[in-house]
Amino acid sequence: MLITSFELDKVMPAFIIANGAASFGMEVTLFFTLWGINALKEKSIYSGKNIKEKMITMMLPSHPKTTTISRLNMMGIGTGMMKSMMQENNIETLPDLMDLSIEMGSKLIACQMTMGMMGITTDEIRDGVEYGGVALYIEEASESGVTLTF
Amino acid sequence: MLITSFELDKVMPAFIIANGAASFGMEVTLFFTLWGINALKEKSIYSGKNIKEKMITMMLPSHPKTTTISRLNMMGIGTGMMKSMMQENNIETLPDLMDLSIEMGSKLIACQMTMGMMGITTDEIRDGVEYGGVALYIEEASESGVTLTF
Amino acid sequence: MLITSFELDKVMPAFIIANGAASFGMEVTLFFTLWGINALKEKSIYSGKNIKEKMITMMLPSHPKTTTISRLNMMGIGTGMMKSMMQENNIETLPDLMDLSIEMGSKLIACQMTMGMMGITTDEIRDGVEYGGVALYIEEASESGVTLTF
């Protein structure tokens, strides 16, 4: 799976499918690039970054639990409503789905080129994530029976 | 095919490719989840829903023919222009493409988890649609030679 | 690869993966449809178009170098910042990635139905691009080991 978005309604389906597939014994690799990297963040660090890197850090979510939806967000009202509807229906939260994914042995890979470009450091990324470039993605994709983009 | 969007310019390419593939004798399955569910709606029902479910029903299209485009919509002007350009070029409308898809034997599956979460009932969904969960999607995807996301 | 978007942050990952795959000796086909067609434009031509076609020409980018990002564009500030961050990290520009892709022998196909619908002529499209319909896409996809949508 290639994840280029960070929004709740893009990353959640990816992890729901990933965890479903893993539970059927399939090997799952998720490669996070561009905006997708932000889904892997655990915190935002500003020190040591240049002004552009600081600005981009400020404007993007610092943790999957602060991620909004891509439609009907309405200054956060829509996202809050969606999250409460998920909770009422016993759907796991995105951070829980991500923890479960790592526990089940799925490979989460952060794109090194994006990290370099946006000035994101490994200290900002959650534990259990691997690092790699486009070559690794292509290798994994070419060995996969199912390739999905989110 | 996994459809997570409801916009005209996401759902139409999905059905154009689906119908093309079906006409070549390929077996086609379209799984609609999250916002994608709205493409399968025939009408909106409000009675029996809680306030959050009513709000989400109100804000989302009640029929594929009222669906807008994701870019250049401009309060509906862009969508109207796009639809008239399609008509002038004899491109079938989305509802026609969907009817044709079901006639050709393609499988349209609505995600049960999304329906539960958004409070969408089977009475709101068009005829000819099947219902299933993520396990069914993964099974179908793992048997498919081509997997696409829209 | 199926490209239905024209934004920098959709088309760039497509070409980075395409060129990576081509460098590993994989055969790559990119099919551009709907908004994706705009990524292939070299210039905008207005003469001979009807009013709707002129309007759509005016509102869409006339060259990949004028393409914006889909998030944080902020009237062009975000796009400019992103481009300068790419340059500082020695990431090739989108036009360069596209030239390289054609040089490496990847097939770029423009969707004829979209061109007819939007009134885009072959004079507006860069050299080295082929033209085809959905049947050609389906044929290419069914022969591919990896199918991606952007």
Side-chain angles (χ1 to χ4, degrees):
Chain A
M1 295 189 185
L2 180 73
I3 292 108
T4 62
S5 314
F6 63 86
E7 286 88 354
L8 196 64
D9 47 350
K10 297 284 178 180
V11 184
M12 273 202 68
F15 276 100
I16 290 171
I17 293 170
N19 292 355
S23 74
F24 291 157
M26 294 165 78
E27 271 185 63
V28 179
T29 302
L30 300 105
F31 187 84
F32 296 80
T33 187
L34 255 166
W35 310 112
I37 286 282
N38 293 283
L40 298 176
K41 284 179 70 178
E42 200 163 56
K43 60 180 169 202
S44 286
I45 297 175
Y46 289 87
S47 72
K49 292 189 177 177
N50 68 32
I51 180 73
K52 280 181 225 160
E53 290 166 356
K54 277 179 185 160
M55 275 177 69
I56 212 160
T57 302
M58 202 179 67
M59 289 181 300
L60 289 167
S62 61
H63 192 282
K65 77 178 177 226
T66 63
T67 295
T68 53
I69 52 179
S70 67
R71 298 175 182 83
L72 304 185
N73 182 39
M74 303 176 298
M75 315 291 283
I77 299 170
T79 299
M81 205 171 89
M82 189 69 81
K83 282 184 179 172
S84 93
M85 289 171 96
M86 285 174 182
Q87 200 178 8
E88 284 161 19
N89 285 278
N90 299 314
I91 298 169
E92 283 166 295
T93 63
L94 179 53
D96 286 349
L97 284 169
M98 293 177 74
D99 289 340
L100 184 62
S101 180
I102 292 172
E103 269 170 47
M104 289 174 101
S106 296
K107 237 192 277 187
L108 278 63
I109 304 171
C111 172
Q112 287 171 321
M113 190 173 79
T114 303
M115 290 181 65
M117 186 187 85
M118 295 195 183
I120 300 168
T121 63
T122 54
D123 291 336
E124 294 173 275
I125 302 292
R126 62 187 299 139
D127 287 340
V129 169
E130 297 171 41
Y131 299 91
V134 67
L136 181 57
Y137 167 72
I138 293 165
E139 197 189 306
E140 295 277 345
S142 64
E143 289 168 3
S144 297
V146 179
T147 47
L148 303 172
T149 47
F150 289 93
Chain B
M1 293 189 187
L2 179 74
I3 292 109
T4 62
S5 313
F6 64 85
E7 287 90 354
L8 195 65
D9 48 350
K10 297 283 179 180
V11 184
M12 272 202 69
F15 275 101
I16 289 171
I17 293 169
N19 292 355
S23 74
F24 291 156
M26 293 166 79
E27 271 184 62
V28 179
T29 302
L30 300 106
F31 188 84
F32 295 80
T33 186
L34 255 165
W35 311 113
I37 287 283
N38 294 284
L40 298 176
K41 283 180 70 179
E42 200 163 56
K43 60 182 171 202
S44 285
I45 297 174
Y46 289 87
S47 72
K49 291 189 177 178
N50 68 33
I51 180 73
K52 280 180 226 161
E53 290 165 355
K54 278 179 185 162
M55 276 177 68
I56 211 161
T57 302
M58 203 179 64
M59 287 181 300
L60 289 168
S62 60
H63 192 282
K65 76 178 178 227
T66 63
T67 294
T68 53
I69 52 179
S70 67
R71 297 176 183 83
L72 304 186
N73 182 40
M74 302 177 298
M75 315 290 284
I77 299 170
T79 299
M81 206 171 87
M82 188 68 80
K83 282 185 180 172
S84 93
M85 289 171 95
M86 283 174 182
Q87 200 178 7
E88 283 160 20
N89 285 277
N90 299 313
I91 298 169
E92 283 167 296
T93 63
L94 179 53
D96 286 350
L97 284 169
M98 294 178 73
D99 289 340
L100 184 62
S101 179
I102 293 172
E103 270 170 47
M104 289 175 99
S106 295
K107 236 191 276 187
L108 277 65
I109 304 171
C111 171
Q112 286 171 321
M113 190 173 79
T114 303
M115 290 180 65
M117 187 188 84
M118 296 196 181
I120 299 169
T121 64
T122 55
D123 292 336
E124 293 172 274
I125 302 292
R126 61 186 300 140
D127 287 340
V129 170
E130 295 172 41
Y131 300 91
V134 67
L136 181 58
Y137 166 73
I138 293 165
E139 197 190 306
E140 296 277 344
S142 65
E143 289 168 3
S144 297
V146 179
T147 47
L148 303 172
T149 45
F150 289 93
Chain C
M1 294 189 186
L2 181 72
I3 292 108
T4 62
S5 314
F6 64 85
E7 287 89 354
L8 195 65
D9 48 350
K10 297 284 178 179
V11 184
M12 272 202 70
F15 275 100
I16 290 171
I17 293 170
N19 293 354
S23 75
F24 290 157
M26 293 166 80
E27 272 185 60
V28 179
T29 302
L30 300 105
F31 188 84
F32 295 80
T33 187
L34 255 165
W35 311 112
I37 286 284
N38 294 283
L40 299 176
K41 282 180 72 178
E42 200 162 56
K43 60 182 169 200
S44 285
I45 297 174
Y46 288 88
S47 71
K49 291 190 178 178
N50 67 33
I51 180 73
K52 279 180 228 160
E53 290 165 355
K54 278 178 185 163
M55 276 177 69
I56 210 159
T57 302
M58 203 179 67
M59 288 180 300
L60 289 167
S62 60
H63 193 282
K65 76 178 176 225
T66 63
T67 295
T68 53
I69 52 179
S70 67
R71 297 176 183 84
L72 304 186
N73 182 39
M74 303 176 298
M75 314 291 284
I77 300 171
T79 299
M81 205 170 89
M82 189 68 80
K83 282 184 180 171
S84 93
M85 289 171 95
M86 285 174 183
Q87 200 177 6
E88 283 161 20
N89 286 276
N90 298 314
I91 299 170
E92 283 167 297
T93 63
L94 179 54
D96 285 350
L97 283 169
M98 294 178 72
D99 289 341
L100 184 62
S101 179
I102 292 173
E103 269 170 46
M104 288 174 101
S106 295
K107 237 191 275 188
L108 277 64
I109 304 172
C111 172
Q112 286 171 322
M113 190 172 80
T114 303
M115 290 181 66
M117 187 188 84
M118 296 196 182
I120 299 169
T121 63
T122 54
D123 292 335
E124 293 172 276
I125 302 292
R126 61 187 297 139
D127 287 340
V129 170
E130 296 172 41
Y131 300 91
V134 67
L136 180 57
Y137 167 73
I138 294 166
E139 197 189 307
E140 296 277 345
S142 65
E143 290 168 2
S144 298
V146 180
T147 47
L148 303 172
T149 45
F150 289 93

